[in-house]
């Protein structure tokens, strides 16, 4: 059986070679369709990889976000709640203490507001952030210190600022001289004890103990909590414990909170790209379908031209199965040949496309070639060969040898 199949494929290659240009013109649909499919899959895989890299760079897969949910749905309209639960420093400390797994906890309340430099009476717009300890590793101090645990618990009126705000406070003086300056925020006089690096900050930032925020500020801009596990594997268990604590200790249970893990974001991105991949695949599939019709056309012409040959072969003892395999293998060979040409064209086109994307968007974007792409191409080649080659092969196999020989 294996030898017969091999002979069928060798015969198919010989027949294709005798009608090479006719075959190439007939499989242009497959070539273009497969090239478009390869380019599309590679582009989408590259986009998905880039999106996942950006998510993991900007957020941690170990982090669990506890976000305030300030809106309720009334007749499918989002309406802000009049009363709601929110995290405070004390409740967040209790939440952390209830966790059975070791984890870091960060609590932030951020708002845009106006502060005043006490020495010059200069008003400056800035982002005011109330936070707990430890200070997040992304914040790097250049001068001075951050506030301590004692400062946090005793509500000491101290703060640290970023470089941009320091420059705004001291004007032409060295930014380091902002240390020990006094600034007024909502009636509270704060002493600057440290200066942090700007990094990507485009505006001034003031960081202070969250315990200094009055209840009115906390209610207006409820804090967001972040629990960061030591291992990614511990995230589901920690999330379950957080939900359990909020359900037990908050009067509205989980109604006022959204518990989000970054694995969900990665999963949502993957689902979005999968949907995009399926839609684009169906569109590109039209071209592949046209290519399959071209393969059927080649084989039907081949059956007509080789009617006498088929009759002679059957008269000499060839079985229906032999004729069927001959034309089916020819169909698979033609579609595989077209798919390989399309694969090569798709790879070359994507290589040319990437520099254009980088030049236009200034994004470190790369194509992603996966084994899935190559497997999909080979499966398409086999399916096209079988589906569009079956009818011509069956038509050839059913020819009566006497009638076939008479047609000469």
């Amino acid at each position: 059986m294996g030898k017969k199949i091999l002979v069928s494929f060798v015969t198919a290659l010989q027949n294709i070679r005798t009608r090479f240009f006719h075959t190439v013109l007939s499989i242009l649909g497959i070539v273009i369709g497969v090239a478009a499919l390869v380019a599309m899959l590679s582009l989408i895989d590259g986009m998905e990889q880039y999106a996942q890299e950006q998510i993991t760079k900007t957020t941690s897969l170990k982090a669990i976000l506890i976000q305030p949910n300030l809106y309720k749905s009334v007749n499918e309209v989002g309406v802000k709640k009049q009363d709601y639960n929110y995290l405070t420093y004390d409740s967040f400390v209790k939440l952390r203490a209830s966790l059975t797994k070791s984890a870091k906890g960060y609590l932030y309340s951020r708002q845009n507001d106006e502060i005043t430099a006490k020495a010059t009476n200069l008003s400056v717009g800035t982002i005011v952030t109330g936070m707990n300890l430890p200070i997040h590793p992304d914040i790097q101090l250049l001068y001075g210190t951050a506030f301590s645990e004692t400062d946090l618990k005793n509500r000491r009126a101290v703060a640290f600022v970023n470089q941009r705000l320091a420059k705004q406070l001291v004007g032409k003086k060295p930014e380091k001289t902002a240390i020990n300056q006094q600034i007024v925020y909502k009636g509270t006089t704060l002493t600057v004890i440290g200066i942090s690096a700007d990094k990507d900050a485009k505006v001034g930032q003031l960081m202070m103990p969250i315990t200094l925020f009055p209840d009115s500020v906390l209610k207006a801009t409820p804090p967001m909590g972040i629990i960061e596990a030591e291992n990614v594997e511990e995230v589901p268990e920690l999330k379950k414990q957080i939900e359990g604590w909020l359900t037990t200790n908050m009067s509205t249970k989980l109604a006022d909170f959204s518990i989000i893990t970054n694995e969900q974001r990665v999963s949502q991105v993957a689902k979005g790209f999968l949907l995009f991949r399926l839609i684009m695949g169906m569109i590109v599939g039209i071209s592949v379908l046209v290519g399959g019709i071209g393969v059927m056309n080649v084989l039907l012409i081949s059956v007509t031209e080789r009617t006498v040959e088929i009759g002679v072969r059957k008269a000499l003892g060839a079985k229906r199965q032999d004729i069927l395999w001959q034309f089916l293998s020819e169909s698979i060979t033609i579609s595989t040949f077209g798919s390989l040409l399309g694969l090569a064209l798709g790879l070359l086109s994507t290589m040319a496309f990437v520099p254009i994307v980088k030049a236009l968007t200034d994004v470190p974007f790369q194509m992603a070639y996966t084994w899935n792409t190559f497997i999909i191409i080979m499966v398409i080649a086999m399916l096209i060969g079988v589906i569009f080659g079956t009818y011509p092969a069956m038509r050839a196999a059913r020819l009566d040898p006497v009638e076939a020989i008479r047609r000469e």
Side-chain angles (χ1 to χ4, degrees):
M1 183 68 178
K3 188 176 179 181
K4 285 185 177 181
I5 295 173
L6 183 62
V7 170
S8 296
F9 276 102
V10 171
T11 305
L13 286 172
Q14 291 173 349
N15 291 328
I16 290 170
R17 190 172 59 182
T18 57
R19 302 174 179 83
F20 183 75
F21 288 108
H22 184 196
T23 303
V24 169
L25 290 173
S26 299
I27 61 172
L28 276 178
I30 292 179
V31 174
I32 294 170
V34 169
L37 189 62
V38 170
M40 180 206 58
L41 291 175
S42 303
L43 282 168
I44 295 175
D45 287 340
M47 289 164 60
E48 184 174 5
Q49 188 177 24
Y50 176 73
Q52 290 179 350
E53 286 174 358
Q54 292 303 304
I55 290 173
T56 52
K57 279 181 182 178
T58 54
T59 55
S60 171
L61 292 177
K62 300 176 184 178
I64 304 167
L65 279 64
I66 309 169
Q67 291 184 339
N69 182 15
L70 308 184
Y71 291 85
K72 61 181 178 179
S73 178
V74 179
N75 298 328
E76 300 183 357
V77 177
V79 179
K80 190 170 183 179
K81 300 172 184 175
Q82 296 297 317
D83 193 27
Y84 44 83
N85 288 318
Y86 55 89
L87 290 172
T88 62
Y89 172 72
D90 291 335
S91 62
F92 190 68
V93 169
K94 291 176 183 177
L95 169 59
R96 283 186 62 191
S98 71
L99 302 176
T100 59
K101 304 285 185 182
S102 178
K104 294 178 181 178
Y106 306 99
L107 188 66
Y108 297 98
S109 179
R110 185 174 286 119
Q111 60 177 317
N112 299 335
D113 216 323
E114 188 178 23
I115 61 171
T116 305
K118 194 170 183 180
T120 61
N121 206 33
L122 174 69
S123 295
V124 180
T126 186
I127 297 174
V128 181
T129 304
M131 60 176 63
N132 69 336
L133 291 174
I135 301 298
H136 198 277
D138 286 347
I139 299 174
Q140 296 180 352
L141 285 168
L142 298 178
Y143 311 107
T145 61
F147 52 84
S148 64
E149 193 70 43
T150 302
D151 297 333
L152 186 66
K153 290 179 179 178
N154 295 335
R155 302 181 67 204
R156 185 177 166 221
V158 293
F160 62 95
V161 300
N162 68 345
Q163 289 174 283
R164 184 174 289 272
L165 182 55
K167 290 173 184 175
Q168 290 173 327
L169 292 173
V170 300
K172 294 182 180 179
K173 295 178 183 178
E175 60 187 31
K176 190 176 181 180
T177 59
I179 293 179
N180 294 323
Q181 292 261 353
Q182 290 187 320
I183 51 181
V184 180
Y185 167 67
K186 291 194 179 297
T188 301
T189 301
L190 305 169
T191 302
V192 177
I193 60 173
I195 299 172
S196 64
D198 269 342
K199 286 198 171 180
D200 298 328
K202 296 180 180 180
V203 296
Q205 294 185 8
L206 169 70
M207 279 74 68
M208 58 190 285
I210 196 169
T211 49
L212 291 174
F213 273 21
D215 288 340
S216 59
V217 173
L218 288 177
K219 185 168 184 179
T221 54
M224 178 181 71
I226 300 174
I227 300 294
E228 192 167 294
E230 288 189 351
N231 302 302
V232 176
E233 293 79 11
E234 296 174 349
V235 168
E237 178 61 27
L238 283 171
K239 182 184 177 185
K240 189 176 179 181
Q241 291 180 19
I242 292 167
E243 290 173 343
W245 189 91
L246 291 172
T247 301
T248 303
N249 294 276
M250 295 294 177
S251 60
T252 55
K253 302 184 184 298
L254 294 174
D256 294 331
F257 300 94
S258 297
I259 315 300
I260 301 170
T261 61
N262 290 315
E263 284 184 334
Q264 290 174 313
R265 294 183 179 182
V266 174
S267 176
Q268 287 171 351
V269 169
K271 286 180 181 177
F273 279 111
L274 176 60
L275 179 63
F276 185 45
R277 196 178 281 117
L278 290 173
I279 293 171
M280 293 301 295
M282 286 188 285
I283 295 171
V284 173
I286 295 172
S287 180
V288 178
L289 181 66
V290 172
I293 295 170
V295 171
M296 183 183 288
N297 181 49
V298 170
L299 290 174
L300 287 173
I301 293 172
S302 180
V303 170
T304 302
E305 291 177 348
R306 293 155 61 191
T307 301
V308 176
E309 176 194 330
I310 294 167
V312 171
R313 286 195 63 193
K314 294 190 79 172
L316 293 175
K319 298 178 181 178
R320 272 195 178 188
Q321 188 179 2
D322 297 329
I323 304 299
L324 182 70
W325 268 113
Q326 179 184 342
F327 282 89
L328 203 56
S329 59
E330 190 168 325
S331 173
I332 294 171
T333 305
I334 291 171
S335 59
T336 303
F337 177 62
S339 298
L340 290 175
L341 284 178
L343 177 63
L345 181 61
L347 293 175
L348 290 173
S349 63
T350 53
M351 289 176 186
F353 186 71
V354 169
I356 298 172
V357 172
K358 286 183 177 179
L360 293 175
T361 61
D362 195 27
V363 171
F365 176 75
Q366 294 291 343
M367 305 300 296
Y369 303 107
T370 63
W371 283 109
N372 289 341
T373 301
F374 298 106
I375 292 170
I376 287 170
I377 299 308
M378 295 312 298
V379 170
I380 286 173
M382 296 293 292
L383 286 175
I384 291 174
V386 172
I387 293 171
F388 291 95
T390 299
Y391 173 70
M394 290 179 65
R395 183 175 173 181
R398 288 172 181 170
L399 283 175
D400 180 81
V402 177
E403 290 296 325
I405 294 171
R406 281 180 180 175
R407 290 188 189 180
E408 185 173 13

